[in-house]
Amino acid sequence: MDTLTEADGRVRSVLVAVALTVAGLLASQVTTLPAILVEPDLALDPSGVGRGLLVAFFILNFLGFAVAGAAYLAYTGLGWSFVDLRTPSLRDWKYAILGIVASFGFVIVVSVLATVADLSATDNQVVDYIGDDSTMALYLIVIAFLFNAPAEEFLWRNVIQKRLYAAFSRMGAVVVTSLVFAGVHFPVYAATAPSLDPTGLAGVLVSLLVVFGGSIVFGYVYVRTRNLVVPIVAHAGFNAIQFGFLYLTIEYAPEDLEAAMALVRLALPVG
């Protein structure tokens, strides 16, 4: 393959990755419409919305990502054989644990650096849905394993990252996927930033750095195992531990809730 053709192939692959990412985010907006039509406050002030509708909203949101990925497989004729699902081996489980540990390690490093620089991450919408409802935190643990991680890892790892293998090295595809994933979140975080002055933009960048780092970790364990179950477990385990921590804080140390919310706000990307 000559240089021009290779460059064209990479540009096309990146554009496909961007299009699929945008399609996933737009699809999630469409799939959540039934819940929002039933309760408009889901889009305005979710603090007073009942748990049943909140659970439905989250499930429908993640369903949109899965729909976008499935539509691409159907459109391209790749089919479900393209999906790397198999029972994890002992080695796979080790990488899943590595993914959880590495994700937390990255968040801690970013948190420390942000504190030293006197910066704070932009608000995360997930904490608004939880509020001080400990039971909702438990529901989100279940949702993380059954809907959140499977849908996001299916689209961004098994569809987008794997599609990029045709034009990039394995780790190159991980980096490109992560850049695209973080990039499309810029307007979401910018919209919730208190201001877009240098301090506000720095907070947005802190949030995007966490999104980018998490994607790098989950992408790496997928490269090493070629098994979608592994990044799903790592992703879900990472989120579940955060929600579990939040549950314990609400139940047994409510005076520390603000600090706990700050950790979850930093670590969980906006969907």
Side-chain angles (χ1 to χ4, degrees), residues 71-87:
Y72 177 77
L73 294 184
Y75 176 76
T76 58
L78 292 171
W80 291 107
S81 61
F82 192 71
V83 182
D84 299 318
L85 286 176
R86 68 173 185 275
T87 302

Side-chain angles (χ1 to χ4, degrees), residues 79-114:
W80 291 107
S81 61
F82 192 71
V83 182
D84 299 318
L85 286 176
R86 68 173 185 275
T87 302
S89 64
L90 178 60
R91 175 178 178 273
D92 290 340
W93 285 117
K94 290 179 180 178
Y95 271 103
I97 294 172
L98 173 64
I100 295 172
V101 174
S103 298
F104 273 110
F106 185 78
V107 168
I108 291 171
V109 170
V110 173
S111 179
V112 170
L113 293 176

Side-chain angles (χ1 to χ4, degrees), residues 17 34 50-51 54 60 80 102 135 145 153 172-174 177 195-196 199 202 212-213 225 244 260:
R51 290 178 193 144
L54 286 176
L60 291 171
W80 291 107
T135 302
F145 277 99
E153 295 307 309
V174 172
T177 300
S195 68
L196 291 181
T199 300
F212 175 79
T225 61

Side-chain angles (χ1 to χ4, degrees), residues 25-49:
L25 296 175
L26 291 177
S28 71
Q29 300 302 306
V30 173
T31 53
T32 55
L33 277 178
I36 293 175
L37 290 175
V38 171
E39 180 50 80
D41 279 347
L42 280 167
L44 302 172
D45 180 19
S47 59
V49 177

